[in-house]
Amino acid sequence: MTAKTTPLRELPADLDRERLPRHVAAIMDGNGRWAKSRGLPRIMGHQRGVDALKNLLRCCDDWGVKALTAYAFSTENWGRPLEEVDFLMTLFERVLRQQLQEMMAENVRIRFVGNLKTLPASLQAEIDRSMEMTAENSGIEFTVATNYGGRQEILEACRSIATQVRDGKLQPEDIDEALFKRHLYTANIGDPDLLIRTSGEMRISNFLLWQVAYAELYVTETLWPDFDRAEFHRALSAYQKRDRRFGKV
Ligand code: FPP
């Protein structure tokens, strides 16, 4: 089979399977601008954003990336117009309900990270159901950051560690990176190797502050709903050209 007829499902021939990021994280930005540029309501951008996310998840699975984490809703996003927040909450719930069987069939393990306790009760129920049902799945690890804030996550970890010290269960000198990590929402999830941000903004926006310490950053002008396999291919090519030194020479 020639390179030209290589099915989309296969890793593009110019990418090195041995040097793929294990874990990709995505700040899915630009849904509103995508919709506005087409004269559509912002919510249509979010709707199309879900399709882009589903396609990226499938692409990661097809190409051998083991984990994908997506920033769906930040602790700051509550400041958006009420109708948009309501739409997003309903969208998350509907997508979860509709996609669960497919995720089971594709062996996806889904997790949610963030302050989940303040989300609408019906969404929490759907989140719990999806996490429980997929807990034993051994395929791609898909994490959705919802009502997530990196600073809040670090503060919660500090509070939990401080409580253990106060109760005499832990000594201050026991606190190291490995222990700290166990108190984060992402305790059981590896750190991202590659962080993609769409729509050209050069910011981390309170996303995985601790975890992205050594992630490679890739920013594209492309708006999230247009982020497709070709775009992901470009991001992976850029990643494979990087020299990851982790502070060493
Ligand atoms: C940022 O674009 C996007 C969001 C705040 C929402 C992202 C959510 C999804 C794509 C849905 C994911 C669904 C599930 C079930 C995980 P923006 O609105 O800030 O765009 P703008 O900067 O152009 O206004």
Side-chain angles (χ1 to χ4, degrees), residues 147-218:
N147 195 17
Y148 174 89
R151 288 185 174 181
Q152 184 172 4
E153 177 183 37
I154 290 171
L155 285 177
E156 278 186 32
C158 290
R159 244 179 252 130
S160 144
I161 293 169
T163 305
Q164 293 196 0
V165 172
R166 183 196 61 196
D167 296 346
K169 294 182 183 148
L170 198 64
Q171 296 303 312
E173 50 278 16
D174 296 335
I175 303 169
D176 58 11
E177 286 192 18
L179 180 132
F180 196 83
K181 186 179 161 46
R182 288 200 294 277
H183 288 263
L184 294 171
Y185 302 141
T186 55
N188 301 312
I189 304 165
D191 292 341
D193 301 294
L194 170 63
L195 171 61
I196 296 171
R197 180 165 190 152
T198 53
S199 92
E201 313 284 356
M202 304 275 187
R203 286 191 292 275
I204 302 288
S205 296
N206 206 12
F207 188 42
L208 302 177
L209 294 180
W210 172 278
Q211 298 86 340
V212 298
Y214 286 102
E216 294 297 325
L217 305 184
Y218 178 83

Side-chain angles (χ1 to χ4, degrees), residues 31-46:
N31 292 347
R33 275 164 281 172
W34 183 92
K36 194 172 168 217
S37 70
R38 287 165 174 77
L40 298 169
R42 290 175 57 81
I43 56 172
M44 288 303 293
H46 298 315

Side-chain angles (χ1 to χ4, degrees), residues 21-238:
R22 198 200 79 84
H23 181 178
V24 172
I27 301 179
M28 309 181 287
D29 199 10
N31 292 347
R33 275 164 281 172
W34 183 92
K36 194 172 168 217
S37 70
R38 287 165 174 77
L40 298 169
R42 290 175 57 81
I43 56 172
M44 288 303 293
H46 298 315
Q47 187 73 56
R48 289 296 291 267
V50 173
D51 296 335
L53 181 57
K54 283 198 302 202
N55 289 337
L56 178 61
L57 179 65
R58 192 156 290 135
C59 185
C60 284
D61 200 22
D62 288 344
W63 290 359
V65 171
K66 304 292 181 207
L68 174 68
T69 297
Y71 203 4
F73 195 87
S74 75
T75 45
E76 290 72 34
N77 286 155
W78 294 109
R80 293 185 175 217
L82 187 61
E83 316 83 75
E84 186 171 338
V85 171
D86 280 349
F87 177 84
L88 281 168
M89 294 298 147
T90 310
L91 179 70
F92 298 155
E93 195 176 321
R94 178 161 42 87
V95 169
L96 264 184
R97 200 175 310 115
Q98 286 171 352
Q99 297 301 312
L100 189 53
Q101 286 315 321
E102 211 165 315
M103 287 193 287
M104 287 303 291
E106 295 186 19
N107 199 20
V108 175
R109 176 173 189 181
I110 190 168
R111 289 186 180 100
F112 284 78
V113 291
N115 181 0
L116 307 177
K117 293 185 281 291
T118 56
L119 293 171
S122 53
L123 174 56
Q124 284 187 53
E126 221 47 69
I127 286 176
D128 290 345
R129 195 164 80 97
S130 66
M131 289 205 285
E132 276 163 31
M133 272 190 70
T134 65
E136 303 299 323
N137 287 354
S138 56
I140 188 163
E141 293 178 34
F142 178 39
T143 304
V144 186
T146 312
N147 195 17
Y148 174 89
R151 288 185 174 181
Q152 184 172 4
E153 177 183 37
I154 290 171
L155 285 177
E156 278 186 32
C158 290
R159 244 179 252 130
S160 144
I161 293 169
T163 305
Q164 293 196 0
V165 172
R166 183 196 61 196
D167 296 346
K169 294 182 183 148
L170 198 64
Q171 296 303 312
E173 50 278 16
D174 296 335
I175 303 169
D176 58 11
E177 286 192 18
L179 180 132
F180 196 83
K181 186 179 161 46
R182 288 200 294 277
H183 288 263
L184 294 171
Y185 302 141
T186 55
N188 301 312
I189 304 165
D191 292 341
D193 301 294
L194 170 63
L195 171 61
I196 296 171
R197 180 165 190 152
T198 53
S199 92
E201 313 284 356
M202 304 275 187
R203 286 191 292 275
I204 302 288
S205 296
N206 206 12
F207 188 42
L208 302 177
L209 294 180
W210 172 278
Q211 298 86 340
V212 298
Y214 286 102
E216 294 297 325
L217 305 184
Y218 178 83
V219 177
T220 170
E221 293 292 330
T222 300
L223 304 176
W224 178 254
D226 291 328
F227 192 87
D228 57 11
R229 281 184 185 235
E231 291 287 342
F232 189 43
H233 182 180
R234 274 191 276 284
L236 292 177
S237 298

